[in-house]
Amino acid sequence: MKFENLIMRLSAKSWKRVINRRVLIIAAIAGIAAAPLAAEAGTIVVSNDEWEFTNTGFSNAPATGQFVKNLVSEFGPKIHAYSTNFGFTQSSLAAAMTTAGATYTTGTGITFNLPTLSTYNAIFLGGNYLTAAQLTTLGQYVANGGSVYIAGGTGFGGAVAEAAAWNSFLSTYGLSFASSYNLFSGSNIAVSGDPIFTGVSALYQDNGQTISGAGVVCCGAPNGGFYAVVRVPEPATLPLFASWLIGIALISRLRLRHSLSGAKQNQVITPA
């Protein structure tokens, strides 16, 4: 009877190990599989000026169309400019967006809330300032993976007012506009420093607003700080990434256990 009880206890332990091992395997596979489902991060692009997207900007810098294509590739195809500024509403930009395969709309008539913004891959801003509540919503939009393009140097209210309008938002991402305009007027500037400038030799500028911060990627001009790019990881991806790491760790642990178990079974015990 004692022998039968011993066999039953050993069997129970064996089954428990099998069940635990299967649970670990399922958890590991789930963690690894979850990682590819993570949404892509949003991107914030800041320009010192809005003139590059005007008809004048396109005619002076022929590579502007390629810049638009690069932005659409970075952001996604559905873009809305929440602005009435001429830098976002002229025909050359609309045509370039269409050529790049984007659905591009403009105007401040949409409801500026998270559900509405989330229907767009990117929001373009400049010249029409946001309320504090709208800036909060914009931050939530970025946190959820949305992308934003902000143009400074529009002259609306002056440089001090323009810097104040955007810097509370930009500071979250380590960026800021200067409280004065850079006086770099009516000329092209060579651009480089990020994939958004691939195939783009120069862009047109006309008295923009210098950008400061770690995200500044361009340019080598005397006044510097013409463009900044910040790619923002989506918070929702962090738990998935953690699951992926846990999954890898569990698989490694199971392999180690299997290896040690095999080693024990292969040991040869020599009688004393």
Side-chain angles (χ1 to χ4, degrees), residues 53-173:
F53 288 146
T54 64
N55 290 344
T56 300
F58 274 85
S59 62
N60 278 274
T64 304
Q66 182 62 49
F67 183 51
V68 172
K69 287 182 181 179
N70 294 345
L71 289 176
V72 171
S73 178
E74 176 78 31
F75 293 152
K78 192 173 182 183
I79 298 171
H80 182 80
Y82 189 81
S83 177
T84 57
N85 184 274
F86 74 109
F88 297 121
T89 60
Q90 295 191 351
S91 59
S92 294
L93 177 59
M97 286 285 188
T98 299
T99 300
T103 300
Y104 180 66
T105 52
T106 67
T108 57
I110 66 169
T111 303
F112 203 94
N113 59 20
L114 189 57
T116 301
L117 297 188
S118 297
T119 64
Y120 300 100
N121 298 115
I123 300 295
F124 281 30
L125 298 161
N128 296 79
Y129 303 152
L130 304 182
T131 66
Q134 288 174 325
L135 289 171
T136 298
T137 298
L138 187 66
Q140 294 169 344
Y141 170 71
V142 172
N144 286 346
S147 294
V148 173
Y149 184 101
I150 297 178
T154 65
F156 186 76
V160 173
E162 191 156 14
W166 297 117
N167 283 351
S168 61
F169 172 78
L170 293 176
S171 63
T172 304
Y173 311 100

